[in-house]
Amino acid sequence: MRTTIQQPNSPQNGETFQFKPELLTLSRTWKPKAEEGRLRKMIFVWIALAVIVIFFMLPIAYLFSTSFKSPVDVVDGSFFPNAVEAENWPRAFAQVPLWSFMRNSILAAAFSVFVTLGVAVMATYAMLKLEVGKSFLPDMILASYVAPPIIALIPMFVLMQKLGLLNSIAGMVLIYGLMNVPVAFWLMRSFVLQVPKALDEAAWLDGASYFKTFFRVTLPLLYPAMIATGLICFILSFNELLFAQAMTFDSDSRTLPVGISLFQGERRVNFGQMAAASSAGIIPVYFIALFCQKWLIGGLTQGGVK
Amino acid sequence: MMLLPVLAGLGAFFIYPFVYLIGLSFSKSTLANTFQKWVGWDNFDWMFTGTNFTSSIATTVIFAITVSIVQLILGLLIAYLLYTSVKNGRVLRALILLPLMTPPVMVGIAWKLLLSPTGWINSLLSQAGLIEQPISILGDQRFAFPSIMLADTWQWTPFIVILSYAALQSLPEDVFEAAALDGAHARTTFFKLTLPMLAPALLSILLIRMIMAFKTFDLVFVLTQGGPGGQTDVSTYTIWRTALQEFDLGLAGAQTLLFAIVISLVTLPIVFLNNKAEARL
């Protein structure tokens, strides 16, 4: 027997066109009285879409554009540089240890994803399928998601200090790994509920243990959900500032957002170099956003609406 | 057994912090030297009388409610436009996803460049003849708070677009075909049919967004540092400053507790109501 879990992509994909006779009648009775109105509507749609795209691209475009401006062009106020100057990029990399910030960010985010998934997937399964903890535990997790992270900042700072994990990537992995568990629970929830219970029961009847059932039967069905959840948690960790800012002190453990926020706080920073450093820091997430779009949108919508 | 890690996580990230914060808030504590002595309600007294923390909480609540409602309306309109007027919106949705993925620090820097006295917006305004001298938008009492809201809206509206789009896709099509056959006007269909059917999903989306908006820190950290004159002093930023700039952990503990209570009062009742409504469906 094969059971597949629905892949997180839009329902339109793979849907075949269905012929609907009523559409034919409609099109026959359709009088192009509104030809002009349709044209007007199309123009309106195109203008609206253009405004939307321009609004959402503008700050990023300006950031990239500024990264190619000479110090004279920066104060000029025009959108594009008068003369393209690529110097800012190597200078930014020379001024701040961007490579190590990027390495730290990627390491912290990637390993934290494994911690999060390791904790959250089994727990979600146990809570929803085996109904351990009734509704109390899910409610607790929900409450801990509502609570702002600043609550955990000071206590975790002290805890990390005692564990000797302050100013280390391992510490950030632990923090992010645990911090994203409620998000992962939230995203995994509807996927786990979609796994038919009959499947587990069949495995139990055959004498498989809870653990064996989980690893052999349920887990493979959850891989797509785990990829989507993992990607979202990766981006959340990669972008995080508050904890990283408080708990990392040098370039061996500082993450990109911290490094760049400190760089921009300096008095004598050159706007062009700042823009170049920020642009460089954006590239990894945009890479993920463009190539894993399907997973990201699937994950976000599963967690959000259902 | 399977739950052990999650229980440990909840303990470390939720229960332990609360117990620890309650302890801190009744003690004189600095970052270097915690629990010097018990001081009773002193930290709370000082928070209400000697600091501006209540106004910081008001700022946060106004911020969260305003941006989540504005973004819900904008996001829903964009999603509706994409859903009704664009056949294959994959490229568009990929572009719209980018702001959401951008690290908030970089969002802050991009807007800081745009809004700076030498930035493009100032040059636009002066070309339009609206201003004579370049103005410091982020340093102005009138514009700083709306600027933070603008940057936040830029980043988070795409989130609502994606969720509303999915909600629109999940609506049953036959109802709309029936409405079209009956000759219903597009506007009537939207207000009488689409909106009521979407309402439960929209409520959840609004809630998620509002909860996130309460946590705002990065944009304020990069754009205004709480200024000018405390206009943009959201609570997370205030608490961060009390703890890690002024090192007064006792006061920071009291502030955090008050903040947590206010957030719970605003959101938790609706969250659980929403869950109950969902369970009944």
Side-chain angles (χ1 to χ4, degrees):
Chain A
M1 189 180 78
R2 275 188 72 217
T3 308
T4 46
I5 195 162
Q6 212 192 341
Q7 297 265 340
N9 53 11
S10 76
Q12 285 171 337
N13 297 350
E15 191 180 284
T16 49
F17 176 75
Q18 278 182 329
F19 179 69
K20 292 179 183 126
E22 68 268 21
L23 286 180
L24 202 64
T25 25
L26 253 186
S27 71
R28 257 188 224 128
T29 53
W30 176 261
K31 288 277 177 293
K33 122 202 170 215
E35 192 56 44
E36 199 186 314
R38 267 174 74 192
L39 189 70
R40 209 182 297 149
K41 199 192 150 205
M42 253 179 66
I43 292 172
F44 166 77
V45 167
W46 277 104
I47 291 176
L49 288 176
V51 169
I52 292 165
V53 170
I54 289 172
F55 175 68
F56 285 119
M57 292 301 112
L58 191 81
I60 305 168
Y62 193 68
L63 188 68
F64 274 88
S65 152
T66 305
S67 78
F68 291 104
K69 282 180 183 170
S70 66
V72 182
D73 280 0
V74 162
V75 293
D76 175 49
S78 60
F79 197 92
F80 295 104
N82 295 319
V84 173
E85 185 174 292
E87 268 299 277
N88 291 322
W89 285 71
R91 287 225 181 103
F93 275 88
Q95 280 227 335
V96 269
L98 277 177
W99 287 118
S100 27
F101 291 156
M102 209 172 290
R103 182 202 60 208
N104 298 337
S105 273
I106 290 173
L107 283 178
F111 282 103
S112 78
V113 166
F114 290 104
V115 175
T116 304
L117 289 178
V119 174
V121 176
M122 270 212 274
T124 310
Y125 175 76
M127 277 186 281
L128 297 176
K129 284 287 164 175
L130 311 177
E131 288 174 14
V132 187
K134 298 285 173 233
S135 75
F136 172 71
L137 268 178
D139 283 352
M140 272 296 268
I141 291 180
L142 180 65
S144 74
Y145 174 67
V146 172
I150 187 80
I151 290 179
L153 181 68
I154 304 163
M156 287 313 266
F157 185 92
V158 177
L159 186 70
M160 288 288 139
Q161 201 171 28
K162 290 199 174 118
L163 293 174
L165 288 174
L166 269 189
N167 197 24
S168 72
I169 296 175
M172 295 323 291
V173 168
L174 194 62
I175 299 245
Y176 290 153
L178 293 177
M179 191 158 79
N180 287 334
V181 167
V183 182
F185 169 74
W186 209 237
L187 296 171
M188 296 289 300
R189 199 177 61 138
S190 61
F191 287 102
V192 170
L193 288 173
Q194 273 174 26
V195 176
K197 191 154 193 185
L199 219 60
D200 297 350
E201 279 161 1
W204 294 334
L205 279 179
D206 287 346
S209 67
Y210 281 134
F211 273 97
K212 203 167 181 184
T213 311
F214 173 73
F215 282 111
R216 290 287 174 77
V217 180
T218 314
L219 198 61
L221 294 175
L222 290 177
Y223 286 154
M226 287 167 68
I227 295 174
T229 307
L231 282 170
I232 289 169
C233 291
F234 180 91
I235 288 170
L236 284 174
S237 306
F238 190 91
N239 291 354
E240 205 275 343
L241 174 69
L242 182 61
F243 281 82
Q245 204 277 341
M247 296 187 188
T248 58
F249 315 122
D250 57 39
S251 57
D252 287 335
S253 59
R254 265 187 186 144
T255 57
L256 261 176
V258 186
I260 287 177
S261 72
L262 291 173
F263 183 40
Q264 68 94 28
E266 278 176 34
R267 284 264 168 238
R268 46 188 176 75
V269 257
N270 174 321
F271 273 7
Q273 288 167 19
M274 188 169 102
S278 309
S279 305
I282 289 178
I283 290 170
V285 267
Y286 279 12
F287 200 72
I288 296 177
L290 291 176
F291 287 94
C292 309
Q293 193 216 137
K294 193 181 85 176
W295 300 100
L296 285 173
I297 292 185
L300 285 172
T301 48
Q302 285 286 335
V305 182
K306 289 179 185 167
Chain B
M1 266 286 276
M2 287 175 158
L3 285 173
L4 273 182
V6 88
L7 288 177
L10 268 179
F13 242 83
F14 193 55
I15 298 162
Y16 153 73
F18 259 110
V19 175
Y20 194 88
L21 280 176
I22 293 170
L24 274 184
S25 63
F26 291 104
S27 72
K28 179 172 163 50
S29 293
T30 60
L31 195 60
N33 194 354
T34 48
F35 300 108
Q36 294 167 21
K37 62 171 190 258
W38 299 107
V39 294
W41 293 93
D42 280 8
N43 286 319
F44 290 90
D45 282 342
W46 180 242
M47 172 172 72
F48 286 112
T49 56
T51 72
N52 279 330
F53 193 65
T54 43
S55 84
S56 154
I57 284 196
T59 305
T60 315
V61 172
I62 293 170
F63 177 82
I65 292 176
T66 314
V67 295
S68 52
I69 291 174
V70 168
Q71 291 165 16
L72 185 76
I73 295 170
L74 263 180
L76 177 64
L77 287 178
I78 295 172
Y80 195 67
L81 183 76
L82 289 180
Y83 181 71
T84 51
S85 311
V86 181
K87 287 242 170 58
N88 194 348
R90 190 173 290 181
V91 178
L92 271 175
R93 277 186 295 157
L95 285 179
I96 282 181
L97 197 61
L98 291 181
L100 186 58
M101 298 296 143
T102 315
V105 170
M106 281 62 149
V107 174
I109 290 175
W111 280 97
K112 196 174 187 174
L113 292 172
L114 271 171
L115 296 168
S116 87
T118 58
W120 185 62
I121 290 183
N122 256 301
S123 88
L124 268 191
L125 289 175
S126 67
Q127 268 167 27
L130 291 171
I131 50 170
E132 278 157 21
Q133 293 284 320
I135 48 170
S136 167
I137 298 172
L138 293 168
D140 190 300
Q141 296 260 1
R142 286 165 299 170
F143 306 130
F145 197 41
S147 299
I148 303 269
M149 288 180 171
L150 175 67
D152 188 80
T153 301
W154 179 82
Q155 174 151 50
W156 286 102
T157 304
F159 179 68
I160 295 183
V161 173
I162 288 165
L163 295 188
S164 317
Y165 190 85
L168 280 165
Q169 280 182 325
S170 70
L171 294 180
E173 272 178 42
D174 44 357
V175 187
F176 292 95
E177 280 165 18
L181 281 174
D182 288 345
H185 204 268
R187 196 172 298 156
T188 325
T189 316
F190 180 76
F191 282 108
K192 291 276 161 75
L193 215 55
T194 317
L195 216 49
M197 284 203 291
L198 277 184
L202 291 181
L203 183 66
S204 328
I205 297 171
L206 181 75
L207 266 174
I208 295 175
R209 184 59 206 109
M210 203 184 286
I211 290 166
M212 288 172 166
F214 274 116
K215 305 174 182 178
T216 301
F217 170 77
D218 310 28
L219 283 179
V220 173
F221 184 81
V222 173
L223 284 173
T224 58
Q225 284 92 47
Q231 288 275 310
T232 60
D233 214 349
V234 294
S235 300
T236 300
Y237 186 78
T238 318
I239 297 167
W240 170 83
R241 207 180 44 215
T242 310
L244 294 170
Q245 305 270 288
E246 294 156 16
F247 308 119
D248 188 345
L249 288 199
L251 179 60
Q255 290 176 330
T256 314
L257 285 180
L258 182 67
F259 182 45
I261 290 167
V262 170
I263 290 191
S264 313
L265 287 179
V266 177
T267 54
L268 275 185
I270 326 174
V271 170
F272 286 114
L273 267 181
N274 188 37
N275 269 16
K276 292 272 146 58
E278 238 173 49
R280 231 180 286 131
L281 284 175

